[in-house]
Amino acid sequence: MLKYIMSEDAEIISAKRAGFCFGVKRAVNMAFEAAKRGNTVHTLGPIIHNPQVVEKLKEVGVYPLDNLDSPHIETIIIRTHGVSKDVSDKLKKKGYNVIDATCPFVKKAQQYAKLLKDEGYQVIIVGDIEHPEVNGLMSYAGKDVIVINKNSYLPPLKKKVGIIVQTTQPVDVFKKIVSEVVGRVKELKVFNTICNSTDLRLKETKNMAKKVDTMIIVGGKNSANTTQLAELCRSINVTTYHIETADEIDDDLILKGKKIGISAGASTPDWIISEVENKIKNIKKGNM
Amino acid sequence: MLKYIMSEDAEIISAKRAGFCFGVKRAVNMAFEAAKRGNTVHTLGPIIHNPQVVEKLKEVGVYPLDNLDSPHIETIIIRTHGVSKDVSDKLKKKGYNVIDATCPFVKKAQQYAKLLKDEGYQVIIVGDIEHPEVNGLMSYAGKDVIVINKNSYLPPLKKKVGIIVQTTQPVDVFKKIVSEVVGRVKELKVFNTICNSTDLRLKETKNMAKKVDTMIIVGGKNSANTTQLAELCRSINVTTYHIETADEIDDDLILKGKKIGISAGASTPDWIISEVENKIKNIKKGNM
C-alpha cells in the first residue's frame, strides 16, 4: 500500500546550506588525494560520520581503522573530529606518514582548551562527552575539565572558569550554560568555538521546518549534527524523517502536504542529497 | 481617617541583611573619624545615598561638595561609589589630604575594567549609566566602553569583549546580558563584580516578600540599591512602601494583613531601621 499523500502541486524546497561544510570537504578531498598517491591509506575511525562516503573511500583504497595496533599502517589520516593529545603523540612516535585532516575550527578549539588550562582556568566543555571531538578537546583541557550538555547538572566550580564549546553545538544551549556558570564564578573566560556554518545550517533548517508540511533530513544516522537537525525539526512539531539515502524513501515514509523541505548534515555528500531530491520529484510526477 | 488595617496579631519580620553593607560601614566610619581630627572635612558628593546619614555628618562637620572648585578644601573623602580617573588625578594634583573611602569591591571592579581594556577587550559595563559608580568604572574601561542595562539594546560588538558589572546589579540581569553577548562574540572575559551582600540582600528580601502581606523598604529615595529592593517586591505583587524614615508612616500608608516585612538598602543606618520597626510595633499596640 502506497502511503504518499503529497499534493500534485507540492513544492520541494532544499536548504542552501545542506551538506558538506568546509572542514568535511577539506578532509574528504585530502583522503581522495592520498589514495591517488598509491600508498596504503587508513583513517583513524570513519573519516566523517557518513557510511556512504566511507564506502566510496574504501573503493579507492582508504580504510577506517579502530585502533593503532594494526600492522601494515603507512599513511594515516586524522579525521575532522581530531584526536586526543595521547593519540597525536603516539602517531608521531610510531613514525607513520600522518595526514592531519582535523577541521581547522576543531584545531582552534583544542588550542583554546590548552590556553585556558595554561592560564589557570578550570575548563568546561559544552558538548556531548561521547563525541570524538569532545574526547579530543578534553585531553587538552587539564585534569579538572568538566563536560556539560543541555541535560547536565552543573557541579561545584572553581572561582576561575574557562568555557569552550563543541563546534557543532546549538548556540542556545551554549548561551544557557554560560549564563548559569557566570552567576556562580568570579572570573569567566569564554571562547565561542561554535562553527558558524553549523549555526547557520540550524537556523536555516529551523526556518524551513516552520514553513513546510514534511521535513526530510538526510545524513548518517551516526552523525550528531544531522541527528540534531532532525531533533530540531521534531521539536517544532513538523513531521520529520531522518534518512541516510534515497533508498529509505519507501512505503513507510509518508510525504504529506503541499510543501516538502529537505536539509542535510555537514557530513552528507551532495550526490546523496541530489538522489533524495530526484526521488521525491519523481514521486510527485507519479514515476515511482 | 486612619487607614491601618493591620491585624492585632500581626507579625513584624525584619530582614537580617537590611542596612549598612561592609563598604558603607567602612566609609561612614572613616568620615566620623576624619571629623574627630578637627580638620575641615568634605565629601565629594553625598558620602552615601542616604540623606539622614549626610545630615548626621554635617552635625559633626563633614560637608558634601558638588565640585572641586570650592575654596578652603583641606581633607576630602572619596565616597563609596568611587570617582573617575580624571577626578582621582585632579585630587592628587591639587594636593588635598585625600581619604579614599571607595568601597574595596568597587575599587576591584575599576581595576578589572582597566585590566580588560589593557588586554585588548572592548569593555561592557552592566549597570546604570547615571550611577556614579558606573561613571567611575567607565573612566578605566577605554574609549569603546559600552554601558548596558536590562532595557538596553545591544549595539554591534567587537570580536573580543570583556564584561564587568556594577556591584549592586541583580545577578539575573547580569546573567541575561552575558548570555546575549556570548552568542555574538568570539572571545569573552567576564569578571563577576556583583557584591555578594547585594545579591544575598536581594534574595532574602524577595523570599520575605513572597511570605508577607505588606513590605516596607527603608532607605534613601536616591539610593539605587534601595529602590531596586522596592521594585523587586512590587514585581511579585506585594503591597510595597519605600520610605526614608519612620516619619513617613502616616495615614497614607496602609499596613494590611497579618505579616509585615521590613528590609533596607545598603546605605540605610540601623537607627532608622529601628525607628521604623518601633513605630510599626506601636501601631500594632494601638499606641500611635
Side-chain angles (χ1 to χ4, degrees):
Chain A
M1 193 181 71
L2 205 62
K3 293 186 191 165
Y4 302 114
I5 48 171
M6 184 164 47
S7 310
E8 265 178 43
D9 59 345
E11 197 184 337
I12 297 149
I13 318 159
S14 291
K16 281 183 196 133
R17 295 176 190 280
F20 277 11
C21 65
F22 160 74
V24 167
K25 205 176 282 175
R26 177 176 169 273
V28 172
N29 282 345
M30 284 165 103
F32 278 110
E33 286 302 314
K36 275 186 199 163
R37 290 194 288 275
N39 289 342
T40 313
V41 181
H42 288 101
T43 60
L44 196 51
I47 187 157
I48 55 170
H49 282 153
N50 186 279
Q52 292 72 36
V53 172
V54 171
E55 283 308 310
K56 280 251 183 207
L57 279 166
K58 277 184 192 165
E59 287 167 21
V60 297
V62 179
Y63 301 94
L65 278 182
D66 281 341
N67 62 68
L68 291 176
D69 300 323
S70 318
H72 315 303
I73 299 177
E74 289 177 347
T75 295
I76 191 143
I77 302 178
I78 298 176
R79 59 184 175 175
T80 48
H81 308 307
V83 289
S84 71
K85 203 180 166 306
D86 277 359
V87 172
S88 175
D89 292 346
K90 201 169 172 182
L91 288 173
K92 278 177 201 157
K93 215 168 145 187
K94 291 230 181 192
Y96 302 138
N97 173 31
V98 177
I99 297 174
D100 189 353
T102 306
C103 166
F105 298 127
V106 174
K107 203 90 185 172
K108 200 138 205 176
Q110 289 177 347
Q111 286 160 359
Y112 287 140
K114 184 175 180 305
L115 181 80
L116 289 172
K117 181 202 71 179
D118 290 347
E119 287 182 352
Y121 294 93
Q122 177 179 28
V123 179
I124 293 179
I125 301 169
V126 177
D128 171 14
I129 199 164
E130 306 288 336
H131 197 280
E133 177 186 330
V134 173
N135 193 267
L137 292 174
M138 285 173 76
S139 69
Y140 292 93
K143 281 183 186 163
D144 50 8
V145 60
I146 296 168
V147 178
I148 300 278
N149 68 24
K150 60 182 171 184
N151 304 314
S152 306
Y153 166 78
L154 208 59
L157 300 173
K158 298 197 170 172
K159 282 187 179 175
K160 204 177 147 179
V161 165
I163 302 184
I164 52 165
V165 49
Q166 185 181 347
T167 54
T168 48
Q169 282 287 300
V171 73
D172 288 345
V173 170
F174 172 56
K175 285 166 71 176
K176 190 168 169 283
I177 290 171
V178 167
S179 152
E180 278 171 32
V181 171
V182 83
R184 294 183 34 188
V185 300
K186 281 288 163 200
E187 181 179 340
L188 174 66
K189 189 164 176 176
V190 188
F191 290 101
N192 180 349
T193 48
I194 292 176
C195 161
N196 204 27
S197 87
T198 300
D199 191 33
L200 293 172
R201 187 185 306 110
L202 280 163
K203 279 182 187 148
E204 187 190 12
T205 302
K206 191 176 181 179
N207 287 335
M208 179 181 276
K210 284 179 188 165
K211 292 173 196 158
V212 301
D213 303 295
T214 303
M215 276 299 291
I216 311 283
I217 303 295
V218 192
K221 299 274 163 79
N222 59 342
S223 157
N225 86 82
T226 309
T227 307
Q228 198 179 94
L229 288 176
E231 278 173 6
L232 179 72
C233 296
R234 286 185 191 117
S235 76
I236 54 172
N237 287 327
V238 61
T239 306
T240 303
Y241 298 100
H242 176 179
I243 60 173
E244 277 191 1
T245 68
D247 291 344
E248 291 176 61
I249 304 179
D250 61 13
D251 290 5
D252 290 332
L253 194 146
I254 302 170
L255 295 167
K256 63 172 182 184
K258 288 206 165 188
K259 279 191 177 175
I260 314 294
I262 302 172
S263 188
S267 48
T268 312
D270 286 350
W271 89 78
I272 294 186
I273 305 173
S274 296
E275 282 173 7
V276 169
E277 285 169 351
N278 289 335
K279 188 149 181 184
I280 296 176
K281 279 176 193 159
N282 282 334
I283 294 168
K284 196 183 139 186
K285 292 180 194 155
N287 296 337
M288 274 290 284
Chain B
M1 192 179 74
L2 206 62
K3 294 186 190 164
Y4 303 113
I5 49 172
M6 185 164 46
S7 309
E8 265 179 44
D9 59 347
E11 196 184 340
I12 296 149
I13 319 161
S14 291
K16 281 182 194 134
R17 295 176 191 280
F20 277 11
C21 65
F22 159 74
V24 167
K25 204 175 285 176
R26 177 176 170 273
V28 173
N29 283 345
M30 282 164 102
F32 278 109
E33 286 303 313
K36 276 186 201 164
R37 290 194 288 272
N39 290 342
T40 313
V41 181
H42 288 101
T43 60
L44 194 51
I47 188 157
I48 54 169
H49 282 155
N50 186 280
Q52 292 72 34
V53 172
V54 172
E55 282 308 310
K56 281 249 181 208
L57 279 165
K58 277 184 193 165
E59 288 167 21
V60 297
V62 180
Y63 300 95
L65 277 182
D66 281 341
N67 61 69
L68 291 176
D69 301 324
S70 318
H72 314 304
I73 298 178
E74 288 177 349
T75 294
I76 190 141
I77 303 178
I78 299 176
R79 59 184 173 172
T80 49
H81 308 307
V83 289
S84 71
K85 204 180 165 305
D86 277 359
V87 172
S88 175
D89 292 346
K90 200 169 173 182
L91 288 173
K92 280 176 201 158
K93 215 168 144 189
K94 292 232 180 191
Y96 303 137
N97 173 31
V98 177
I99 297 174
D100 189 354
T102 306
C103 166
F105 298 127
V106 174
K107 203 92 185 168
K108 199 140 206 176
Q110 289 177 347
Q111 286 159 359
Y112 287 140
K114 185 177 180 305
L115 181 79
L116 288 173
K117 183 202 70 180
D118 290 347
E119 288 183 349
Y121 294 92
Q122 176 179 28
V123 179
I124 293 179
I125 301 168
V126 178
D128 171 13
I129 200 163
E130 306 288 335
H131 196 280
E133 177 186 329
V134 173
N135 194 268
L137 292 175
M138 285 173 74
S139 69
Y140 291 93
K143 281 181 185 165
D144 51 8
V145 61
I146 296 168
V147 179
I148 300 277
N149 68 25
K150 60 182 170 181
N151 304 316
S152 306
Y153 165 79
L154 207 58
L157 300 173
K158 298 198 171 173
K159 284 187 178 178
K160 206 177 146 181
V161 165
I163 303 183
I164 53 166
V165 49
Q166 185 182 347
T167 54
T168 49
Q169 282 286 300
V171 73
D172 288 342
V173 171
F174 171 56
K175 284 167 71 176
K176 191 167 167 282
I177 290 170
V178 168
S179 153
E180 278 171 32
V181 171
V182 82
R184 294 185 30 189
V185 300
K186 282 288 163 198
E187 183 179 338
L188 174 67
K189 189 163 174 177
V190 190
F191 290 102
N192 181 348
T193 48
I194 293 176
C195 160
N196 203 29
S197 88
T198 300
D199 190 33
L200 293 172
R201 187 184 306 108
L202 280 163
K203 279 184 188 147
E204 187 190 13
T205 303
K206 190 176 183 179
N207 285 335
M208 179 181 274
K210 284 180 188 165
K211 293 175 196 155
V212 302
D213 304 296
T214 302
M215 275 299 292
I216 311 283
I217 303 295
V218 191
K221 299 273 164 78
N222 58 342
S223 158
N225 85 83
T226 310
T227 307
Q228 196 178 96
L229 288 176
E231 278 172 8
L232 179 71
C233 296
R234 285 184 192 119
S235 75
I236 54 174
N237 288 325
V238 61
T239 305
T240 304
Y241 298 100
H242 175 178
I243 60 175
E244 276 191 3
T245 67
D247 291 344
E248 290 176 62
I249 303 178
D250 61 14
D251 290 4
D252 291 331
L253 195 145
I254 303 170
L255 296 167
K256 64 173 183 185
K258 287 205 164 189
K259 279 191 177 174
I260 313 293
I262 301 172
S263 188
S267 48
T268 312
D270 285 351
W271 89 77
I272 293 188
I273 304 173
S274 297
E275 281 173 9
V276 170
E277 284 168 351
N278 289 334
K279 187 147 182 185
I280 295 177
K281 279 176 193 157
N282 283 333
I283 294 169
K284 197 182 139 185
K285 291 180 194 153
N287 295 337
M288 275 289 285

